[in-house]
Amino acid sequence: MENESQIELIKTTLDKIRPFIQRDGGDCDFVAFKDGIVYIKMMGACAGCSLIDSTISDGIQIILMEEVPGVLGVKAVDSENEVPN
C-alpha cells in the first residue's frame, strides 16, 4: 500500500494544477497511486482531446514528479477498474 501522505500530497498538487486545465474546459480527478504511478481520470474538454498525452506528460507528470517523492509517472484511465491489481 502506498503512503497516505504521498496520496495527500498528490491530491494537493493536482488541486494546484487543476485551474490551468479548467481554463481550457477540462479537468482531472485522482483515481489511484500504485507502484509509483499516479492514475488520473481526465474529464470535460480533456476527455478525447488529441493533446491529452502532451498535457499529461509535459504538464501533470513533470509537476507531480517534482513535487511528490516516489512518483514515477502518470497514466490516464477511465475508471478504477483500469488500475492494475
Side-chain angles (χ1 to χ4, degrees):
M1 184 169 139
E2 302 299 331
N3 187 323
E4 290 297 320
S5 64
Q6 280 177 298
I7 291 172
E8 285 307 310
L9 189 51
I10 289 166
K11 290 179 179 180
T12 300
T13 304
L14 285 174
D15 285 342
K16 289 185 211 172
I17 299 167
R18 186 170 279 116
F20 298 98
I21 298 169
Q22 290 172 337
R23 197 171 24 192
D24 291 327
D27 205 351
C28 66
D29 195 25
F30 173 81
V31 175
F33 179 54
K34 184 169 174 68
D35 299 326
I37 305 299
V38 177
Y39 295 90
I40 58 174
K41 180 176 181 176
M42 300 304 292
M43 300 173 292
C46 290
C49 174
S50 62
L51 298 175
I52 190 64
D53 291 336
S54 177
T55 299
I56 292 172
S57 63
D58 296 340
I60 298 170
Q61 179 171 275
I62 288 173
I63 294 167
L64 283 174
M65 288 173 71
E66 266 188 29
E67 300 269 331
V68 185
V71 171
L72 304 174
V74 175
K75 183 174 180 180
V77 294
D78 289 325
S79 73
E80 199 169 314
N81 296 336
E82 295 180 51
V83 178
N85 290 331

